[in-house]
Amino acid sequence: MFTTDPPLRRRPAWPALLPLLALLSCSWPLDNPVDPHRCAQGCPPGQRCHDGQCVAGDGGVPVKPCTQTSQCDDKLVCTKDSCVNELCVNTPSSNECAISGTCMVAGARKHAESCAACVPSTAPRAWTIKARCMETVAGGGSTKECPPAARKEGAALSARFINLNDVAVASDGTVYAVELKSKKLRIIKNGKVGAVAQSFTSPSCVTVDRGNGDQVYVGDNRSIYRVDKSGKTTLFAGGGTCSGKKCLALDTRFGHLVDLEVGRKTGALYVLTRDGDNTRVSKITGGDVLIVAQDPSKFHRKYDGKEALLYSLAVDPAEQKIYVSDYNHHKIWRIDTAKGGITLFAGTGKSGSMDGPAATATITAPRDLAVDSKGRLYIAGYSDVRFVQSKGSNWFVSTYVSSDTLSATVPGKVWMVYGLDVDAKDRLYLADRGYCRIRVIYP
């Protein structure tokens, strides 16, 4: 908005320069008055063509040619406009950002619960994402579970959810969530919340095959359904009578479906089912269901009079380790798919939130699990999210985010996290049932 005019230059004689321009890597078509400085081969995002070379752009703002500063007014009060080397330059002030045609003061957030903020020293033309920050993707919350009457679709941040049970994210950023009571698969895309038309019987879990066209799988009672991008739903596995070590997918009789996850390496679908003493981990590959682990001595052993309650599974990137959470006994089991065997991975069996070595750390009622690209394991508890990472040959448990209050207005708190998923950039998505929100934590 503020202008400082350099001495006027004589407008170059464009026709006389055309033979020279043809030799350069930049093409300046005379019939394009908006941006004649575009390189013939194109420039990467955020760069522009100047003097035949791709140079840093102005935050994605189209570069305009000029002969005087008055031609460069961008109508923003926070920028200083000038014409430099026949190109418009609009520079935001040192304590403000100019983002998408709007002036923002330093520290301003994109919205009340956003991790995106104006940081002029870092990016005066774009939002800066704060590391290890949690923001709301969709939903508005309360200090108790949302009542059925609160279910609402539309704008993501004003939507309402009913009993969120799991969450999964596709490669294009679309987020899927299952609601146990409404029996719906909700879809969060482009800032809006919708739902797949089909109602399920008792949807407990959801996962996305990001390596195969973002196909969505929903675990519903004893069956697995596949949902394509159009919302078409088909039976994928279950509904049969076979319960042996190897069955055809559509001939299989599952126990109650507890959790699903697609392996990153092979694309196999891993399945956790629970049905009395028939708790098992299976995988579906090539149309067959194969048992991976079934160990009553671990999965059904009683501690302090309580039967094990396996709640979730997660698979490491190489598909060599499968982690299973034991809700009742406050433990995490690890299955070695290469060598075989099931071993205790984390937790002592006592409820608590003490960080430290995996063997001595305490965990309270672990629900969902997720593994990122580096092999770190995330654990959703009742009022926190923990993560386990290796340091040398040892594993350590640390708190990632927790809740010491039940105030839904405090960003960075969680309550009753029922679902987790990690996207390709290691951003952690949470189905926060207590606050009726879908959250994301940036790494």
Side-chain angles (χ1 to χ4, degrees):
M1 184 75 176
F2 302 105
T3 61
T4 55
D5 281 335
L8 292 177
R9 296 180 179 82
R10 182 175 299 172
R11 185 176 182 85
W14 295 108
L17 294 176
L18 286 176
L20 174 61
L21 298 178
L23 299 176
L24 298 175
S25 62
C26 243
S27 173
W28 297 4
L30 298 179
D31 59 351
N32 184 358
V34 176
D35 184 9
H37 301 270
R38 184 176 57 190
C39 288
Q41 301 300 319
C43 290
Q47 295 191 9
R48 59 181 171 83
C49 183
H50 181 55
D51 290 344
Q53 296 181 350
C54 289
V55 298
D58 193 14
V61 177
V63 180
K64 296 169 56 178
C66 59
T67 57
Q68 56 187 12
T69 296
S70 60
Q71 299 172 330
C72 300
D73 186 1
D74 62 0
K75 311 300 182 185
L76 296 179
V77 297
C78 60
T79 60
K80 179 179 180 181
D81 307 324
S82 57
C83 180
V84 180
N85 295 330
E86 299 176 4
L87 294 175
C88 286
V89 177
N90 309 101
T91 305
S93 64
S94 60
N95 63 343
E96 293 180 285
C97 300
I99 303 173
S100 301
T102 303
C103 292
M104 301 285 179
V105 298
R109 292 190 177 200
K110 191 174 183 179
H111 59 76
E113 295 187 29
S114 175
C115 293
C118 164
V119 183
S121 60
T122 302
R125 285 284 186 178
W127 295 110
T128 298
I129 302 297
K130 182 180 178 181
R132 293 292 293 273
C133 175
M134 181 174 69
E135 74 176 25
T136 297
V137 175
S142 65
T143 57
K144 60 182 180 180
E145 294 182 22
C146 293
R151 183 174 182 271
K152 179 183 176 183
E153 295 174 357
L157 294 178
S158 61
R160 293 289 186 271
F161 298 100
I162 308 171
N163 288 85
L164 286 164
N165 216 61
D166 201 8
V167 66
V169 59
S171 61
D172 64 358
T174 301
V175 179
Y176 298 88
V178 289
E179 295 174 314
L180 192 58
K181 285 189 177 179
S182 71
K183 303 177 182 180
K184 285 290 186 180
L185 173 66
R186 307 288 290 279
I187 304 172
I188 301 96
K189 185 175 184 179
N190 298 328
K192 294 186 177 181
V193 176
V196 169
Q198 176 170 325
S199 291
F200 297 92
T201 302
S202 181
S204 56
C205 48
V206 61
T207 190
V208 178
D209 187 352
R210 293 193 284 263
N212 187 24
D214 283 339
Q215 294 190 84
V216 180
Y217 296 93
V218 177
D220 183 26
N221 200 2
R222 295 177 182 268
S223 300
I224 301 172
Y225 291 90
R226 181 166 56 194
V227 183
D228 65 18
K229 287 190 174 182
S230 70
K232 181 181 178 182
T233 303
T234 56
L235 180 64
F236 177 72
T241 59
C242 179
S243 58
K245 292 184 177 180
K246 180 178 180 181
C247 303
L248 293 175
L250 291 174
D251 290 339
T252 301
R253 180 190 181 279
F254 288 116
H256 292 284
L257 282 154
V258 180
D259 203 11
L260 302 172
E261 181 162 339
V262 176
R264 293 183 179 93
K265 183 177 181 181
T266 67
L269 180 63
Y270 290 83
V271 184
L272 174 63
T273 56
R274 184 176 63 232
D275 190 10
D277 61 358
N278 192 32
T279 298
R280 62 175 59 171
V281 175
S282 308
K283 72 174 181 179
I284 304 176
T285 179
D288 293 325
V289 178
L290 310 173
I291 296 178
V292 176
Q294 184 178 20
D295 188 345
S297 67
K298 298 287 197 309
F299 289 171
H300 297 283
R301 184 177 175 183
K302 289 186 177 182
Y303 298 89
D304 298 328
K306 290 184 179 180
E307 191 81 18
L309 179 61
L310 303 188
Y311 205 98
S312 174
L313 62 75
V315 185
D316 78 343
E319 297 184 40
Q320 294 181 345
K321 303 290 189 296
I322 301 174
Y323 302 95
V324 180
S325 63
D326 185 341
Y327 180 89
N328 277 351
H329 298 144
H330 318 296
K331 294 180 177 182
I332 307 296
W333 297 99
R334 183 171 64 185
I335 302 167
D336 190 322
T337 61
K339 299 178 181 178
I342 304 170
T343 56
L344 180 62
F345 177 66
T348 63
K350 294 183 179 180
S351 174
S353 57
M354 184 176 67
D355 292 338
T360 59
T362 55
I363 301 167
T364 299
R367 284 190 174 91
D368 207 15
L369 304 174
V371 178
D372 68 13
S373 65
K374 299 178 178 62
R376 291 176 294 203
L377 175 69
Y378 296 88
I379 306 168
Y382 186 83
S383 60
D384 60 19
V385 175
R386 317 283 289 284
F387 71 100
V388 191
Q389 65 179 351
S390 63
K391 296 180 180 179
S393 59
N394 299 313
W395 291 83
F396 289 83
V397 178
S398 303
T399 300
Y400 203 51
V401 62
S402 65
S403 178
D404 50 22
T405 72
L406 297 184
S407 171
T409 62
V410 182
K413 306 297 183 184
V414 295
W415 180 37
M416 296 172 63
V417 177
Y418 270 64
L420 296 176
D421 195 24
V422 180
D423 71 5
K425 295 183 179 180
D426 285 343
R427 292 174 291 204
L428 182 66
Y429 287 77
L430 293 71
D432 188 339
R433 180 184 288 192
Y435 288 153
C436 312
R437 285 168 163 86
I438 303 295
R439 315 264 204 169
V440 61
I441 303 177
Y442 293 89

mmCIF file of all heavy atoms in Angstrom, residues 172-214:
data_model
loop_
_atom_site.group_PDB
_atom_site.id
_atom_site.type_symbol
_atom_site.label_atom_id
_atom_site.label_comp_id
_atom_site.label_asym_id
_atom_site.label_seq_id
_atom_site.Cartn_x
_atom_site.Cartn_y
_atom_site.Cartn_z
ATOM 1 N N ASP A 172 -4.768 -38.212 -0.104
ATOM 2 C CA ASP A 172 -5.124 -36.866 -0.536
ATOM 3 C C ASP A 172 -5.589 -35.982 0.613
ATOM 4 O O ASP A 172 -6.053 -34.859 0.399
ATOM 5 C CB ASP A 172 -6.210 -36.917 -1.621
ATOM 6 C CG ASP A 172 -7.531 -37.499 -1.120
ATOM 7 O OD1 ASP A 172 -7.603 -37.896 0.053
ATOM 8 O OD2 ASP A 172 -8.492 -37.548 -1.912
ATOM 9 N N GLY A 173 -5.456 -36.457 1.843
ATOM 10 C CA GLY A 173 -5.828 -35.673 3.013
ATOM 11 C C GLY A 173 -7.257 -35.853 3.472
ATOM 12 O O GLY A 173 -7.647 -35.310 4.515
ATOM 13 N N THR A 174 -8.062 -36.631 2.735
ATOM 14 C CA THR A 174 -9.425 -36.915 3.168
ATOM 15 C C THR A 174 -9.384 -37.736 4.455
ATOM 16 O O THR A 174 -8.610 -38.687 4.559
ATOM 17 C CB THR A 174 -10.204 -37.683 2.098
ATOM 18 O OG1 THR A 174 -10.238 -36.903 0.894
ATOM 19 C CG2 THR A 174 -11.630 -37.959 2.542
ATOM 20 N N VAL A 175 -10.203 -37.364 5.424
ATOM 21 C CA VAL A 175 -10.230 -38.053 6.711
ATOM 22 C C VAL A 175 -11.546 -38.812 6.838
ATOM 23 O O VAL A 175 -12.614 -38.279 6.516
ATOM 24 C CB VAL A 175 -10.085 -37.059 7.878
ATOM 25 C CG1 VAL A 175 -10.150 -37.781 9.221
ATOM 26 C CG2 VAL A 175 -8.762 -36.301 7.766
ATOM 27 N N TYR A 176 -11.463 -40.055 7.299
ATOM 28 C CA TYR A 176 -12.636 -40.902 7.506
ATOM 29 C C TYR A 176 -12.752 -41.221 8.995
ATOM 30 O O TYR A 176 -11.749 -41.465 9.669
ATOM 31 C CB TYR A 176 -12.519 -42.201 6.706
ATOM 32 C CG TYR A 176 -12.460 -41.987 5.217
ATOM 33 C CD1 TYR A 176 -11.246 -41.775 4.573
ATOM 34 C CD2 TYR A 176 -13.622 -41.998 4.444
ATOM 35 C CE1 TYR A 176 -11.186 -41.575 3.203
ATOM 36 C CE2 TYR A 176 -13.571 -41.795 3.073
ATOM 37 C CZ TYR A 176 -12.351 -41.580 2.459
ATOM 38 O OH TYR A 176 -12.296 -41.378 1.104
ATOM 39 N N ALA A 177 -13.983 -41.221 9.497
ATOM 40 C CA ALA A 177 -14.214 -41.537 10.903
ATOM 41 C C ALA A 177 -15.481 -42.368 11.038
ATOM 42 O O ALA A 177 -16.462 -42.125 10.323
ATOM 43 C CB ALA A 177 -14.337 -40.256 11.725
ATOM 44 N N VAL A 178 -15.449 -43.351 11.925
ATOM 45 C CA VAL A 178 -16.652 -44.151 12.174
ATOM 46 C C VAL A 178 -17.247 -43.748 13.514
ATOM 47 O O VAL A 178 -16.531 -43.479 14.486
ATOM 48 C CB VAL A 178 -16.362 -45.672 12.153
ATOM 49 C CG1 VAL A 178 -16.077 -46.138 10.751
ATOM 50 C CG2 VAL A 178 -15.223 -46.042 13.091
ATOM 51 N N GLU A 179 -18.570 -43.695 13.532
ATOM 52 C CA GLU A 179 -19.322 -43.387 14.741
ATOM 53 C C GLU A 179 -20.126 -44.621 15.131
ATOM 54 O O GLU A 179 -20.898 -45.141 14.317
ATOM 55 C CB GLU A 179 -20.273 -42.218 14.507
ATOM 56 C CG GLU A 179 -19.576 -40.908 14.214
ATOM 57 C CD GLU A 179 -20.577 -39.830 13.841
ATOM 58 O OE1 GLU A 179 -21.472 -40.088 13.020
ATOM 59 O OE2 GLU A 179 -20.462 -38.732 14.387
ATOM 60 N N LEU A 180 -19.946 -45.044 16.355
ATOM 61 C CA LEU A 180 -20.559 -46.303 16.773
ATOM 62 C C LEU A 180 -22.074 -46.197 16.880
ATOM 63 O O LEU A 180 -22.807 -47.052 16.389
ATOM 64 C CB LEU A 180 -19.961 -46.730 18.117
ATOM 65 C CG LEU A 180 -20.273 -48.149 18.582
ATOM 66 C CD1 LEU A 180 -19.793 -49.165 17.558
ATOM 67 C CD2 LEU A 180 -19.608 -48.415 19.930
ATOM 68 N N LYS A 181 -22.595 -45.132 17.497
ATOM 69 C CA LYS A 181 -24.029 -45.030 17.726
ATOM 70 C C LYS A 181 -24.808 -44.616 16.481
ATOM 71 O O LYS A 181 -25.909 -45.083 16.237
ATOM 72 C CB LYS A 181 -24.313 -44.069 18.874
ATOM 73 C CG LYS A 181 -23.995 -44.660 20.245
ATOM 74 C CD LYS A 181 -24.494 -43.781 21.367
ATOM 75 C CE LYS A 181 -24.230 -44.419 22.716
ATOM 76 N NZ LYS A 181 -24.697 -43.563 23.838
ATOM 77 N N SER A 182 -24.239 -43.704 15.684
ATOM 78 C CA SER A 182 -24.954 -43.280 14.481
ATOM 79 C C SER A 182 -24.831 -44.293 13.353
ATOM 80 O O SER A 182 -25.542 -44.209 12.352
ATOM 81 C CB SER A 182 -24.426 -41.931 13.996
ATOM 82 O OG SER A 182 -23.125 -42.071 13.453
ATOM 83 N N LYS A 183 -23.858 -45.239 13.515
ATOM 84 C CA LYS A 183 -23.654 -46.313 12.537
ATOM 85 C C LYS A 183 -23.254 -45.761 11.163
ATOM 86 O O LYS A 183 -23.603 -46.324 10.133
ATOM 87 C CB LYS A 183 -24.907 -47.182 12.411
ATOM 88 C CG LYS A 183 -25.363 -47.788 13.731
ATOM 89 C CD LYS A 183 -26.636 -48.578 13.579
ATOM 90 C CE LYS A 183 -27.090 -49.135 14.923
ATOM 91 N NZ LYS A 183 -28.342 -49.906 14.807
ATOM 92 N N LYS A 184 -22.486 -44.663 11.170
ATOM 93 C CA LYS A 184 -22.118 -43.995 9.931
ATOM 94 C C LYS A 184 -20.601 -43.914 9.761
ATOM 95 O O LYS A 184 -19.840 -43.896 10.727
ATOM 96 C CB LYS A 184 -22.689 -42.573 9.907
ATOM 97 C CG LYS A 184 -24.187 -42.489 9.645
ATOM 98 C CD LYS A 184 -24.511 -42.861 8.201
ATOM 99 C CE LYS A 184 -25.970 -42.640 7.878
ATOM 100 N NZ LYS A 184 -26.278 -42.993 6.463
ATOM 101 N N LEU A 185 -20.187 -43.859 8.492
ATOM 102 C CA LEU A 185 -18.814 -43.527 8.124
ATOM 103 C C LEU A 185 -18.825 -42.073 7.690
ATOM 104 O O LEU A 185 -19.415 -41.722 6.677
ATOM 105 C CB LEU A 185 -18.311 -44.425 6.995
ATOM 106 C CG LEU A 185 -16.930 -44.061 6.420
ATOM 107 C CD1 LEU A 185 -15.835 -44.261 7.471
ATOM 108 C CD2 LEU A 185 -16.622 -44.897 5.173
ATOM 109 N N ARG A 186 -18.208 -41.210 8.467
ATOM 110 C CA ARG A 186 -18.178 -39.782 8.164
ATOM 111 C C ARG A 186 -16.942 -39.465 7.345
ATOM 112 O O ARG A 186 -15.883 -40.090 7.491
ATOM 113 C CB ARG A 186 -18.165 -38.955 9.451
ATOM 114 C CG ARG A 186 -19.282 -39.286 10.428
ATOM 115 C CD ARG A 186 -20.644 -38.827 9.982
ATOM 116 N NE ARG A 186 -20.787 -37.383 10.006
ATOM 117 C CZ ARG A 186 -21.042 -36.652 11.082
ATOM 118 N NH1 ARG A 186 -21.172 -37.251 12.257
ATOM 119 N NH2 ARG A 186 -21.170 -35.340 11.003
ATOM 120 N N ILE A 187 -17.053 -38.462 6.461
ATOM 121 C CA ILE A 187 -15.976 -38.070 5.562
ATOM 122 C C ILE A 187 -15.701 -36.585 5.754
ATOM 123 O O ILE A 187 -16.616 -35.763 5.671
ATOM 124 C CB ILE A 187 -16.353 -38.339 4.093
ATOM 125 C CG1 ILE A 187 -16.730 -39.805 3.899
ATOM 126 C CG2 ILE A 187 -15.208 -37.956 3.164
ATOM 127 C CD1 ILE A 187 -17.286 -40.103 2.521
ATOM 128 N N ILE A 188 -14.430 -36.230 6.019
ATOM 129 C CA ILE A 188 -14.031 -34.834 6.170
ATOM 130 C C ILE A 188 -13.120 -34.484 5.004
ATOM 131 O O ILE A 188 -12.027 -35.040 4.866
ATOM 132 C CB ILE A 188 -13.306 -34.587 7.511
ATOM 133 C CG1 ILE A 188 -14.214 -34.961 8.679
ATOM 134 C CG2 ILE A 188 -12.882 -33.142 7.624
ATOM 135 C CD1 ILE A 188 -14.006 -36.340 9.236
ATOM 136 N N LYS A 189 -13.579 -33.585 4.144
ATOM 137 C CA LYS A 189 -12.824 -33.236 2.944
ATOM 138 C C LYS A 189 -13.111 -31.789 2.563
ATOM 139 O O LYS A 189 -14.250 -31.349 2.593
ATOM 140 C CB LYS A 189 -13.218 -34.174 1.783
ATOM 141 C CG LYS A 189 -12.394 -33.980 0.512
ATOM 142 C CD LYS A 189 -12.766 -35.023 -0.529
ATOM 143 C CE LYS A 189 -11.878 -34.888 -1.769
ATOM 144 N NZ LYS A 189 -12.206 -35.918 -2.778
ATOM 145 N N ASN A 190 -12.038 -31.072 2.218
ATOM 146 C CA ASN A 190 -12.148 -29.676 1.773
ATOM 147 C C ASN A 190 -12.939 -28.820 2.752
ATOM 148 O O ASN A 190 -13.758 -27.979 2.367
ATOM 149 C CB ASN A 190 -12.797 -29.609 0.382
ATOM 150 C CG ASN A 190 -11.981 -30.307 -0.675
ATOM 151 O OD1 ASN A 190 -10.750 -30.344 -0.599
ATOM 152 N ND2 ASN A 190 -12.647 -30.874 -1.665
ATOM 153 N N GLY A 191 -12.703 -29.053 4.041
ATOM 154 C CA GLY A 191 -13.326 -28.221 5.053
ATOM 155 C C GLY A 191 -14.778 -28.515 5.329
ATOM 156 O O GLY A 191 -15.456 -27.738 6.020
ATOM 157 N N LYS A 192 -15.301 -29.646 4.827
ATOM 158 C CA LYS A 192 -16.694 -29.996 5.058
ATOM 159 C C LYS A 192 -16.809 -31.451 5.522
ATOM 160 O O LYS A 192 -15.966 -32.275 5.213
ATOM 161 C CB LYS A 192 -17.521 -29.780 3.789
ATOM 162 C CG LYS A 192 -17.628 -28.314 3.385
ATOM 163 C CD LYS A 192 -18.576 -28.129 2.215
ATOM 164 C CE LYS A 192 -18.715 -26.652 1.870
ATOM 165 N NZ LYS A 192 -19.653 -26.425 0.747
ATOM 166 N N VAL A 193 -17.881 -31.729 6.253
ATOM 167 C CA VAL A 193 -18.138 -33.068 6.770
ATOM 168 C C VAL A 193 -19.389 -33.631 6.117
ATOM 169 O O VAL A 193 -20.431 -32.969 6.073
ATOM 170 C CB VAL A 193 -18.322 -33.046 8.306
ATOM 171 C CG1 VAL A 193 -18.680 -34.440 8.819
ATOM 172 C CG2 VAL A 193 -17.063 -32.549 8.990
ATOM 173 N N GLY A 194 -19.270 -34.845 5.587
ATOM 174 C CA GLY A 194 -20.405 -35.556 5.007
ATOM 175 C C GLY A 194 -20.412 -36.977 5.536
ATOM 176 O O GLY A 194 -19.755 -37.289 6.530
ATOM 177 N N ALA A 195 -21.143 -37.857 4.868
ATOM 178 C CA ALA A 195 -21.213 -39.250 5.320
ATOM 179 C C ALA A 195 -21.523 -40.154 4.142
ATOM 180 O O ALA A 195 -22.163 -39.740 3.169
ATOM 181 C CB ALA A 195 -22.281 -39.420 6.402
ATOM 182 N N VAL A 196 -21.015 -41.388 4.214
ATOM 183 C CA VAL A 196 -21.381 -42.406 3.241
ATOM 184 C C VAL A 196 -22.845 -42.768 3.460
ATOM 185 O O VAL A 196 -23.318 -42.858 4.598
ATOM 186 C CB VAL A 196 -20.487 -43.655 3.399
ATOM 187 C CG1 VAL A 196 -21.009 -44.818 2.581
ATOM 188 C CG2 VAL A 196 -19.056 -43.329 2.985
ATOM 189 N N ALA A 197 -23.570 -42.962 2.374
ATOM 190 C CA ALA A 197 -25.016 -43.176 2.462
ATOM 191 C C ALA A 197 -25.373 -44.407 3.284
ATOM 192 O O ALA A 197 -26.342 -44.389 4.051
ATOM 193 C CB ALA A 197 -25.621 -43.281 1.060
ATOM 194 N N GLN A 198 -24.589 -45.489 3.128
ATOM 195 C CA GLN A 198 -24.949 -46.734 3.804
ATOM 196 C C GLN A 198 -24.770 -46.640 5.315
ATOM 197 O O GLN A 198 -23.781 -46.110 5.805
ATOM 198 C CB GLN A 198 -24.118 -47.894 3.275
ATOM 199 C CG GLN A 198 -24.373 -49.207 4.019
ATOM 200 C CD GLN A 198 -23.739 -50.402 3.335
ATOM 201 O OE1 GLN A 198 -23.673 -50.456 2.128
ATOM 202 N NE2 GLN A 198 -23.277 -51.355 4.116
ATOM 203 N N SER A 199 -25.738 -47.143 6.042
ATOM 204 C CA SER A 199 -25.602 -47.292 7.488
ATOM 205 C C SER A 199 -25.093 -48.698 7.784
ATOM 206 O O SER A 199 -25.505 -49.660 7.139
ATOM 207 C CB SER A 199 -26.945 -47.067 8.179
ATOM 208 O OG SER A 199 -27.342 -45.719 8.084
ATOM 209 N N PHE A 200 -24.188 -48.803 8.758
ATOM 210 C CA PHE A 200 -23.638 -50.088 9.136
ATOM 211 C C PHE A 200 -24.372 -50.619 10.364
ATOM 212 O O PHE A 200 -25.224 -49.937 10.944
ATOM 213 C CB PHE A 200 -22.141 -49.949 9.393
ATOM 214 C CG PHE A 200 -21.359 -49.530 8.181
ATOM 215 C CD1 PHE A 200 -21.109 -48.190 7.914
ATOM 216 C CD2 PHE A 200 -20.888 -50.474 7.276
ATOM 217 C CE1 PHE A 200 -20.387 -47.800 6.796
ATOM 218 C CE2 PHE A 200 -20.170 -50.088 6.145
ATOM 219 C CZ PHE A 200 -19.922 -48.754 5.909
ATOM 220 N N THR A 201 -24.036 -51.823 10.763
ATOM 221 C CA THR A 201 -24.681 -52.436 11.924
ATOM 222 C C THR A 201 -24.019 -51.993 13.222
ATOM 223 O O THR A 201 -24.677 -51.529 14.156
ATOM 224 C CB THR A 201 -24.627 -53.967 11.817
ATOM 225 O OG1 THR A 201 -25.270 -54.382 10.614
ATOM 226 C CG2 THR A 201 -25.325 -54.614 13.011
ATOM 227 N N SER A 202 -22.698 -52.122 13.278
ATOM 228 C CA SER A 202 -21.945 -51.744 14.473
ATOM 229 C C SER A 202 -20.502 -51.442 14.055
ATOM 230 O O SER A 202 -19.582 -52.205 14.360
ATOM 231 C CB SER A 202 -21.977 -52.867 15.508
ATOM 232 O OG SER A 202 -21.271 -52.507 16.667
ATOM 233 N N PRO A 203 -20.267 -50.327 13.347
ATOM 234 C CA PRO A 203 -18.925 -50.040 12.833
ATOM 235 C C PRO A 203 -17.947 -49.739 13.950
ATOM 236 O O PRO A 203 -18.177 -48.853 14.776
ATOM 237 C CB PRO A 203 -19.155 -48.808 11.951
ATOM 238 C CG PRO A 203 -20.356 -48.144 12.540
ATOM 239 C CD PRO A 203 -21.219 -49.255 13.053
ATOM 240 N N SER A 204 -16.856 -50.500 13.999
ATOM 241 C CA SER A 204 -15.900 -50.366 15.094
ATOM 242 C C SER A 204 -14.572 -49.772 14.658
ATOM 243 O O SER A 204 -13.859 -49.195 15.479
ATOM 244 C CB SER A 204 -15.648 -51.733 15.732
ATOM 245 O OG SER A 204 -15.202 -52.658 14.751
ATOM 246 N N CYS A 205 -14.207 -49.920 13.370
ATOM 247 C CA CYS A 205 -12.875 -49.496 12.955
ATOM 248 C C CYS A 205 -12.861 -49.152 11.473
ATOM 249 O O CYS A 205 -13.714 -49.599 10.700
ATOM 250 C CB CYS A 205 -11.846 -50.585 13.250
ATOM 251 S SG CYS A 205 -12.323 -52.246 12.701
ATOM 252 N N VAL A 206 -11.859 -48.362 11.075
ATOM 253 C CA VAL A 206 -11.707 -47.958 9.680
ATOM 254 C C VAL A 206 -10.221 -47.817 9.372
ATOM 255 O O VAL A 206 -9.422 -47.446 10.243
ATOM 256 C CB VAL A 206 -12.447 -46.621 9.415
ATOM 257 C CG1 VAL A 206 -11.888 -45.493 10.280
ATOM 258 C CG2 VAL A 206 -12.382 -46.242 7.939
ATOM 259 N N THR A 207 -9.829 -48.159 8.151
ATOM 260 C CA THR A 207 -8.460 -47.964 7.692
ATOM 261 C C THR A 207 -8.491 -47.663 6.209
ATOM 262 O O THR A 207 -9.478 -47.942 5.522
ATOM 263 C CB THR A 207 -7.587 -49.207 7.992
ATOM 264 O OG1 THR A 207 -6.205 -48.904 7.741
ATOM 265 C CG2 THR A 207 -7.992 -50.392 7.127
ATOM 266 N N VAL A 208 -7.397 -47.077 5.697
ATOM 267 C CA VAL A 208 -7.306 -46.688 4.288
ATOM 268 C C VAL A 208 -6.069 -47.310 3.675
ATOM 269 O O VAL A 208 -4.984 -47.267 4.262
ATOM 270 C CB VAL A 208 -7.246 -45.151 4.132
ATOM 271 C CG1 VAL A 208 -7.106 -44.764 2.665
ATOM 272 C CG2 VAL A 208 -8.489 -44.498 4.727
ATOM 273 N N ASP A 209 -6.234 -47.881 2.487
ATOM 274 C CA ASP A 209 -5.103 -48.419 1.726
ATOM 275 C C ASP A 209 -4.568 -47.303 0.843
ATOM 276 O O ASP A 209 -5.004 -47.113 -0.285
ATOM 277 C CB ASP A 209 -5.547 -49.618 0.889
ATOM 278 C CG ASP A 209 -4.369 -50.320 0.223
ATOM 279 O OD1 ASP A 209 -3.241 -49.793 0.297
ATOM 280 O OD2 ASP A 209 -4.582 -51.393 -0.371
ATOM 281 N N ARG A 210 -3.606 -46.543 1.365
ATOM 282 C CA ARG A 210 -3.072 -45.382 0.632
ATOM 283 C C ARG A 210 -2.233 -45.794 -0.566
ATOM 284 O O ARG A 210 -1.987 -44.985 -1.453
ATOM 285 C CB ARG A 210 -2.253 -44.502 1.584
ATOM 286 C CG ARG A 210 -3.105 -43.834 2.652
ATOM 287 C CD ARG A 210 -2.348 -42.739 3.363
ATOM 288 N NE ARG A 210 -1.386 -43.248 4.301
ATOM 289 C CZ ARG A 210 -1.605 -43.368 5.603
ATOM 290 N NH1 ARG A 210 -2.773 -43.033 6.107
ATOM 291 N NH2 ARG A 210 -0.663 -43.828 6.403
ATOM 292 N N GLY A 211 -1.788 -47.041 -0.596
ATOM 293 C CA GLY A 211 -0.991 -47.500 -1.730
ATOM 294 C C GLY A 211 -1.825 -48.110 -2.837
ATOM 295 O O GLY A 211 -1.284 -48.571 -3.839
ATOM 296 N N ASN A 212 -3.138 -48.117 -2.676
ATOM 297 C CA ASN A 212 -4.003 -48.754 -3.672
ATOM 298 C C ASN A 212 -5.271 -47.923 -3.886
ATOM 299 O O ASN A 212 -6.384 -48.378 -3.660
ATOM 300 C CB ASN A 212 -4.359 -50.176 -3.221
ATOM 301 C CG ASN A 212 -5.113 -50.951 -4.299
ATOM 302 O OD1 ASN A 212 -5.012 -50.662 -5.489
ATOM 303 N ND2 ASN A 212 -5.874 -51.944 -3.871
ATOM 304 N N GLY A 213 -5.054 -46.678 -4.301
ATOM 305 C CA GLY A 213 -6.181 -45.836 -4.666
ATOM 306 C C GLY A 213 -7.032 -45.363 -3.513
ATOM 307 O O GLY A 213 -8.199 -44.999 -3.703
ATOM 308 N N ASP A 214 -6.484 -45.339 -2.300
ATOM 309 C CA ASP A 214 -7.212 -44.852 -1.122
ATOM 310 C C ASP A 214 -8.513 -45.622 -0.879
ATOM 311 O O ASP A 214 -9.539 -45.036 -0.495
ATOM 312 C CB ASP A 214 -7.516 -43.356 -1.250
ATOM 313 C CG ASP A 214 -6.294 -42.494 -0.974
ATOM 314 O OD1 ASP A 214 -5.359 -43.002 -0.324
ATOM 315 O OD2 ASP A 214 -6.276 -41.327 -1.404
#
